[in-house]
């Protein structure tokens, strides 16, 4: 079985400062990991994915995440927050024996202040 | 290019009733998955349809059923509604069933009174 734990339910940052969203995973198999973003009244959108290639993954809108097997972590970062980054972010895991069945974390709400 | 479209966007039902939600996948996609998102929680996988058959199922009772049509569109049916079924129901489509790259619709908000 696989699961993810998002360590912060809410994160508040000032515009222009770094963003860090923390995610730990648990998986019996070699996992594939994703970050999805959900803006208010919008559909979930894929930010980036890790599928056992490079451990540092770059995504859209300046986000990146690093897969650390020794720490079972997949934290999401962005060097400089923008007001448009205010949204809910979900860390997601799927296993190679159940591709397409995504296991979502509880989400991290990001607030960006001017 | 239209993305994933869902209907209706909002609906209200009473306990014991039945509901049908509809989804049209992104153009070119052949796989549809359904997720339930309760308020303040992450989405939970209900089931996945590919080639008009249910291929994977999450931990949901048989009251939740679905269908996929030859044009790849899909329906989610929920019978004997409970208060706890109140949630945002998300449809996601993909090219092929073995991928985590899903395209989501904006959802159908179901309220059960």
């Amino acid at each position: 079985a696989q699961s993810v734990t998002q360590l912060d339910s809410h994160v508040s940052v000032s515009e222009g400062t770094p963003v860090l969203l923390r995610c730990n995973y648990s998986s019996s198999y070699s996992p594939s990991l994703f970050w999805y973003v959900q803006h208010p009244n919008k559909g979930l959108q894929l930010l980036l994915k890790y599928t056992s290639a490079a451990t540092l993954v770059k995504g859209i809108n300046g986000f990146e995440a690093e897969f650390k097997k020794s720490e079972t972590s997949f934290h999401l970062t962005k060097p400089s927050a923008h007001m448009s980054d205010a949204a809910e972010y979900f860390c997601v895991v799927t296993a190679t024996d159940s591709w397409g069945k995504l296991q979502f974390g509880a989400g991290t709400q990001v607030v960006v202040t001017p | 290019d239209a993305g994933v479209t869902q209907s209706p966007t909002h609906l209200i039902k009473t306990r014991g009733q039945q509901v049908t939600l509809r989804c049209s996948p992104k153009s070119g996609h052949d796989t549809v998955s359904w997720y339930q998102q309760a308020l303040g929680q992450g989405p939970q996988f209900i089931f996945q349809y590919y080639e008009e058959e249910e291929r994977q199922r999450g931990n949901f009772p048989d009251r939740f059923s679905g269908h996929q049509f030859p044009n790849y569109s899909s329906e989610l049916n929920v019978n004997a509604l409970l208060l706890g079924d109140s949630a945002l129901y998300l449809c996601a489509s993909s090219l092929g069933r073995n991928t985590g790259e899903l395209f989501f619709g904006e959802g159908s908000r179901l309220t059960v009174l």
Side-chain angles (χ1 to χ4, degrees):
Chain A
Q2 59 276 348
S3 65
V4 289
T5 302
Q6 293 185 241
L7 301 177
D8 307 289
S9 59
H10 290 82
V11 167
S12 183
V13 298
S14 298
E15 191 176 19
T17 64
V19 181
L20 169 64
L21 305 183
R22 300 181 295 165
C23 173
N24 287 346
Y25 71 90
S26 173
S27 178
S28 304
Y29 300 89
S30 178
S32 290
L33 293 156
F34 309 80
W35 278 96
Y36 277 80
V37 61
Q38 188 174 36
H39 286 93
N41 301 315
K42 298 279 189 180
L44 283 153
Q45 181 183 21
L46 178 66
L47 272 181
L48 50 79
K49 65 177 181 179
Y50 166 77
T51 55
S52 76
T55 56
L56 184 61
V57 181
K58 294 190 183 298
I60 61 172
N61 301 335
F63 284 94
E64 64 180 36
E66 186 171 9
F67 174 75
K68 290 187 176 180
K69 186 175 182 178
S70 60
E71 300 176 11
T72 61
S73 69
F74 190 58
H75 300 336
L76 181 70
T77 60
K78 182 173 181 177
S80 176
H82 190 271
M83 295 299 290
S84 61
D85 294 328
E88 182 121 29
Y89 292 79
F90 293 96
C91 183
V92 180
V93 65
T94 186
T96 53
D97 66 333
S98 61
W99 276 101
K101 180 180 177 180
L102 304 188
Q103 183 76 33
F104 282 76
T108 298
Q109 185 71 45
V110 172
V111 174
V112 183
T113 56
Chain B
D1 176 25
V4 179
T5 58
Q6 294 185 241
S7 63
T9 54
H10 295 82
L11 68 167
I12 300 173
K13 294 286 187 178
T14 57
R15 282 177 295 176
Q17 286 189 312
Q18 178 264 346
V19 68
T20 297
L21 308 178
R22 295 175 177 81
C23 172
S24 292
K26 180 179 169 64
S27 178
H29 285 186
D30 56 7
T31 302
V32 172
S33 301
W34 288 91
Y35 287 78
Q36 180 196 66
Q37 186 176 18
L39 201 61
Q41 298 182 21
Q44 299 289 317
F45 176 78
I46 303 175
F47 41 53
Q48 179 197 63
Y49 276 85
Y50 173 75
E51 291 187 337
E52 302 179 48
E53 290 188 14
E54 182 183 295
R55 299 293 179 167
Q56 296 190 81
R57 189 178 182 91
N59 189 26
F60 280 81
D62 292 345
R63 297 187 297 109
F64 289 77
S65 63
H67 189 78
Q68 186 181 32
F69 299 94
N71 67 353
Y72 307 121
S73 67
S74 177
E75 288 182 350
L76 165 65
N77 300 292
V78 187
N79 294 323
L81 284 167
L82 303 173
L83 295 179
D85 295 331
S86 295
L88 181 67
Y89 288 85
L90 298 168
C91 172
S93 73
S94 59
L95 181 59
R97 60 191 183 102
N98 292 323
T99 176
E101 295 186 55
L102 305 186
F103 288 76
F104 284 83
E106 295 183 13
S108 294
R109 172 73 63 185
L110 170 65
T111 301
V112 182
L113 301 177

